[in-house]
Every structure is written in structure tokens, then in C-alpha cells.
């Protein structure tokens, strides 16, 4: 009897396999738009067949075979049309312009997903277009999820993706892995993409799940592959360190019901010590390769302060503030400044933290950002300003797109009302 497959199960398979599928197809057909179309055709075929037949033992191979067959059918149809046109014109049949569906020579990367990432991060594209396209093709993220990662409008991201694919096609970008300086030039946007993919898994921007470990695993795999490819780049190791240290807390970020658990309330015995050790070693390597530390290495250093603290009270908040000072200087980011305000509140008191938060209220990039009122609420509650804190938590819940996070914020607001104070 066939094992039926639910749509949710098929979507999970797609999330896990889509990047490898598109990457492999790009290697074969040398066209990003065509590769994505073929992948979508394969998904439609799976949605048609798998609910009745069940998910095959190797769904990735099934999807690739289906997509490859569609590509071959397309080539045969085009070749037949060209032959007929040549006969009607009484001319010799022209050569077919598409390359054959044979793998190109192998290179040092040996990873279709990484190959696709480096292609999508080609300098012919703007920084915003590179990151949006790569998140779409490799992260399996929707346009809306990418928009929230960037805190920009969804139509803007959709336009970036369409234009990026058109630009790659019109510029006839070679579908090969760059080397030397060309590779180094693309690393910054590649690292940013890996970072944002991990973040979407670590704290999902929308939906019913607080964490999506599969995305974190994909980002970690890509980060380690990059570290093997360019071992002399400090920031690659800094990113590996950051992701390992953050991933060490994944199991503790949810309770038995799958509800969100904040950092200071987590059971630290559930933190993964193997990941922590790997992260600390990667941070040491980054520190040995470059001074001052870069953006990812600084964030990893902040994460290491939490990883080393046996209890929340043992956290070295003053060192975290100092690291955030450097990070704000490097990034000039209001979001980083908001995180710094949290650390200042922990190190030097909620009044100082609140003062910093209020200076950020008019920053355009924070408009509609749910963590701004959430942070403000926490500081107000610690100062005993319960009613103001409750209103800010409700505002934050209204802005939050993730169901688990929204529920957590509303529960905190209810707790404040029930306790009658801000503690």
C-alpha cells in the first residue's frame, strides 16, 4: 500500500532540496532563470504524484531526474523547430545554441550550491540584488521573508530578483567558480547571504515555527565549505564562529511545546558544548588572522561571552558593550545600536539603556521593526513603568510576523498586568 505524502511534507522536502536542485541545474543548463523554471516544473510534478505515491527514498535525485528530463525535452523540441525552419528556408540547419546537458569540467569547490552562490554574487549585480537573488535561489526563502530580512518593501525585493536574473542573462555571466581576486571580491556578499540564511533559520521572520534548523544547517555547511576554500580569510572563520556559537543554543530556544524561550531564560545545560568548542576555535583562528576584528568576528566575540557564562548573572556585559561599541563603529547600523542599548541596560542599568533606545526611535530603518518596542518594553518594565511596558509589548506583538514570537510578546504583556509591577 502506498505511503501518502502531505503537502507540508513535500514543502519541507522542497525547502531542503531546492538549493541543491537549482545549483545542479545551473551547472547543466548554464542559465539561472531556466534552472529555476525547471526546478519549479519538478516541484509541480512532485505535488502531482507524491501525495498518492509517497515521497521517494531519494527525493533530491527524483527532482533532479524530473527536471533534467524536462530540460532534455525542451532541447529536443527546439532542435526539431530549428530543423523545420531550416527546411522551410531551404538552408542548412543551424547549430543549436544551448550547451549540451553534460557537466562542465570540475573545479576546486565541488559543490553546486556554493557554485550557484558565487555566481549569484557576481559583481555585475548590485549588493542588494546579489543578496536577494542568492537568498531566493539558495536559501529557499520567499520574497516576503527576504523583504523582512532587509526591512524593505516586498515589491522592492521582487523587482531586485527579476532584474538580477535578467542582468545575469544579458551580461552573459560565465557559470564558473571564480578564483583569486575575483573570488575575494565576492566574499563579502556571499558571507552576508550565509549569515541571513542562518538568521532566518535561527529566528524565523514569519510562520508558526520559532526556529527552522534545516536553514541553520544549510548555512553552517556553506560557511564551513567557504572556510575550507579560503582558509586565509579571517572573516570566513569569524562567520563560522558566529554561526556555531548561535547554533549551540538552538535546542534551548524552544520549550517542550515548541514555544520560544529567550536567551536569559534558557536552560544552559541544553546548549551544545561541541558547537561551542568549534565556535571558540574558529574565533581564535579569525583573531590570529586579522586585527581589528571584522563584523562577523565581533559578533562571534559577543556570542562567546554568552557561551562562556555558566549563568546569566555571570555574563560579562561590560565586555559585550565594548564589543558593540566597535561593531556600531564598523556598521553604523541602527539595529546594532539597538542591540548595544540592550547590553548597556544590562551592564549599567535600564535607565541608561532606555535613554539610548529613545534616541533611535526616529531611525527610518527601525520603523515597523517589532524589536524596538520589545526592547523598550523590557527596559520600562525593569524601571517599574508597567503600563507603558505593557503598551509597548502589545505594539511589538502587532508588528511581529512570527506566530511564536507574537504569542511570547502577548504572554509577557499579560504577565505584567497580572503581576502588577514591571518585574
Amino acid at each position: 500500500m502506498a505511503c501518502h505524502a502531505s503537502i507540508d511534507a513535500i514543502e519541507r522536502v522542497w525547502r531542503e532540496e531546492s538549493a541543491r536542485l537549482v545549483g545542479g541545474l545551473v551547472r547543466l543548463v548554464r542559465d539561472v532563470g531556466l534552472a529555476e523554471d525547471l526546478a519549479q516544473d519538478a516541484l509541480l510534478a512532485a505535488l502531482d504524484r507524491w501525495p498518492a505515491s509517497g515521497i521517494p527514498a531519494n527525493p533530491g535525485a527524483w527532482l533532479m531526474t524530473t527536471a533534467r528530463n524536462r530540460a532534455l525535452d525542451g532541447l529536443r523540441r527546439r532542435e526539431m523547430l530549428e530543423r523545420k525552419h531550416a527546411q522551410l528556408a531551404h538552408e542548412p540547419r543551424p547549430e543549436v545554441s544551448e550547451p549540451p546537458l553534460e557537466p562542465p569540467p570540475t573545479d576546486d569547490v565541488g559543490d553546486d550550491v556554493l557554485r550557484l552562490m558565487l555566481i549569484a554574487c557576481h559583481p555585475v549585480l548590485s549588493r542588494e540584488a546579489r543578496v536577494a537573488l542568492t537568498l531566493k535561489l539558495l536559501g529557499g526563502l520567499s520574497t516576503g521573508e527576504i523583504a523582512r530580512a532587509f526591512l524593505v518593501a516586498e515589491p522592492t525585493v521582487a523587482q531586485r530578483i527579476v532584474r538580477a536574473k535578467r542582468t545575469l542573462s544579458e551580461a552573459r555571466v560565465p557559470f564558473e567558480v571564480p578564483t583569486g581576486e575575483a573570488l575575494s571580491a565576492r566574499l563579502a556578499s556571499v558571507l552576508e547571504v550565509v549569515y541571513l540564511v542562518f538568521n532566518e533559520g535561527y529566528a524565523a521572520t514569519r510562520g508558526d515555527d520559532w526556529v527552522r534548523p534545516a536553514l541553520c544547517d544549510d548555512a553552517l555547511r556553506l560557511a564551513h565549505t567557504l572556510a575550507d576554500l579560503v582558509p586565509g580569510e579571517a572573516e570566513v572563520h569569524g562567520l563560522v564562529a558566529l554561526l556555531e556559537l548561535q547554533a549551540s543554543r538552538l535546542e534551548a530556544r524552544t520549550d517542550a511545546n515548541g514555544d520560544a524561550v529567550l536567551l536569559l531564560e534558557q536552560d544552559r545545560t541544553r546548549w551544545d558544548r561541541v558547537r561551542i568548542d568549534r565556535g571558540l576555535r574558529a574565533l581564535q583562528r579569525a583573531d590570529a588572522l586579522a586585527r581589528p576584528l571584522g563584523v562577523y568576528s565581533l559578533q562571534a566575540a559577543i556570542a562567546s561571552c554568552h557561551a562562556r557564562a555558566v549563568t546569566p548573572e555571570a555574563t560579562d556585559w561590560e565586555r559585550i558593550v565594548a564589543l558593540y561599541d566597535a561593531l556600531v563603529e564598523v556598521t553604523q547600523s541602527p539595529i546594532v545600536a539597538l542591540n548595544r542599548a540592550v547590553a548597556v541596560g544590562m551592564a549599567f542599568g535600564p535607565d541608561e539603556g532606555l535613554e539610548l533606545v529613545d534616541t533611535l526611535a526616529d531611525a527610518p530603518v527601525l520603523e515597523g521593526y517589532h524589536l524596538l518596542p520589545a526592547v523598550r518594553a523590557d527596559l520600562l518594565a525593569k524601571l517599574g513603568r508597567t503600563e507603558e511596558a505593557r503598551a509597548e509589548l502589545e505594539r511589538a506583538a502587532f508588528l511581529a510576523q512570527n506566530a511564536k514570537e507574537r504569542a511570547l510578546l502577548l504572554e509577557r504583556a499579560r504577565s505584567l498586568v497580572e503581576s502588577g509591577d514591571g518585574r
Side-chain angles (χ1 to χ4, degrees):
M1 183 175 180
C3 179
H4 296 271
S6 69
I7 298 300
D8 286 345
I10 296 172
E11 288 179 348
R12 283 196 296 272
V13 170
W14 174 252
R15 177 75 79 175
E16 294 171 0
E17 299 292 343
S18 61
R20 288 184 286 273
L21 177 61
V22 176
L25 290 169
V26 164
R27 174 169 53 86
L28 296 176
V29 303
R30 302 302 184 98
D31 183 291
V32 171
L34 176 58
E36 191 175 19
D37 289 343
L38 291 169
Q40 290 293 328
D41 286 346
L43 172 61
L44 291 175
L47 288 169
D48 181 56
R49 298 183 191 179
W50 291 358
S53 65
I55 296 173
N58 190 336
W62 190 99
L63 291 166
M64 176 59 80
T65 299
T66 301
R68 182 186 174 91
N69 289 341
R70 298 293 173 92
L72 286 170
D73 289 344
L75 286 175
R76 292 187 186 109
R77 284 195 298 271
R78 172 150 185 166
E79 186 176 24
M80 183 179 298
L81 285 172
E82 290 185 350
R83 184 184 297 113
K84 289 181 178 179
H85 289 162
Q87 290 171 350
L88 289 172
H90 302 290
E91 295 177 357
R93 181 170 61 89
E95 294 292 328
V96 179
S97 59
E98 284 83 355
L101 284 178
E102 295 295 335
T106 58
D107 51 50
D108 291 337
V109 177
D111 186 322
D112 287 336
V113 175
L114 184 58
R115 183 197 314 275
L116 179 59
M117 177 170 286
L118 291 168
I119 291 167
C121 291
H122 194 281
V124 74
L125 302 176
S126 69
R127 169 190 168 275
E128 292 81 6
R130 295 176 209 170
V131 177
L133 178 63
T134 309
L135 281 171
K136 180 69 164 60
L137 295 178
L138 292 110
L141 307 188
S142 69
T143 304
E145 288 167 334
I146 299 169
R148 278 182 287 281
F150 278 110
L151 301 179
V152 296
E154 187 170 340
T156 300
V157 173
Q159 290 174 0
R160 288 175 185 172
I161 292 169
V162 170
R163 290 171 183 166
K165 288 190 284 190
R166 184 185 303 129
T167 299
L168 287 174
S169 178
E170 292 177 352
R172 298 184 181 277
V173 169
F175 292 95
E176 60 190 24
V177 176
T179 58
E181 292 184 3
L183 176 60
S184 297
R186 298 195 207 176
L187 273 180
S189 55
V190 172
L191 293 174
E192 184 174 14
V193 167
V194 175
Y195 176 60
L196 288 175
V197 171
F198 180 88
N199 276 351
E200 182 59 33
Y202 187 74
T205 54
R206 72 173 187 178
D208 297 327
D209 296 323
W210 174 238
V211 296
R212 287 153 55 188
L215 278 179
C216 295
D217 290 342
D218 278 345
L220 276 161
R221 180 180 62 82
L222 290 169
H224 281 289
T225 303
L226 277 171
D228 291 337
L229 178 65
V230 282
E233 293 285 343
E235 273 293 77
V236 174
H237 298 290
L239 181 63
V240 170
L242 174 61
L243 302 195
E244 288 285 12
L245 290 169
Q246 296 285 76
S248 72
R249 303 199 293 262
L250 277 172
E251 290 295 324
R253 281 177 58 75
T254 55
D255 61 18
N257 298 318
D259 295 326
V261 181
L262 298 179
L263 173 63
L264 297 183
E265 299 168 1
Q266 289 172 12
D267 177 359
R268 299 191 176 207
T269 64
R270 297 182 66 195
W271 288 4
D272 189 331
R273 300 308 308 182
V274 173
R275 288 194 181 279
I276 289 174
D277 290 342
R278 283 203 298 256
L280 294 177
R281 286 198 300 271
L283 181 57
Q284 288 177 341
R285 192 165 186 182
D287 187 61
L289 286 169
R291 288 292 187 93
L293 295 178
V295 170
Y296 300 109
S297 300
L298 284 168
Q299 291 179 79
I302 292 169
S304 75
C305 292
H306 295 296
R308 290 186 170 102
V310 178
T311 64
E313 295 74 22
T315 306
D316 189 347
W317 287 106
E318 292 191 19
R319 173 167 168 73
I320 291 176
V321 170
L323 289 166
Y324 268 123
D325 288 342
L327 192 58
V328 169
E329 184 68 24
V330 172
T331 65
Q332 298 296 306
S333 165
I335 294 176
V336 174
L338 180 64
N339 291 333
R340 177 181 177 273
V342 174
V344 168
M346 296 298 294
F348 305 113
D351 50 346
E352 291 195 33
L354 183 60
E355 184 177 349
L356 290 174
V357 170
D358 287 343
T359 65
L360 300 170
D362 295 328
V365 74
L366 295 179
E367 184 178 357
Y369 187 50
H370 69 288
L371 292 183
L372 177 63
V375 168
R376 194 168 189 274
D378 183 63
L379 295 166
L380 287 167
K382 289 176 179 177
L383 291 169
R385 296 161 62 176
T386 307
E387 190 57 33
E388 293 173 82
R390 181 193 58 78
E392 289 290 76
L393 284 169
E394 291 177 350
R395 178 174 166 233
F398 175 77
L399 294 172
Q401 298 293 315
N402 181 277
K404 296 290 187 183
E405 191 168 18
R406 187 184 305 115
L408 174 65
L409 292 165
L410 290 174
E411 177 59 32
R412 288 173 61 194
R414 283 191 293 271
S415 297
L416 281 179
V417 173
E418 292 170 1
S419 66
D421 61 35
R423 301 186 186 281

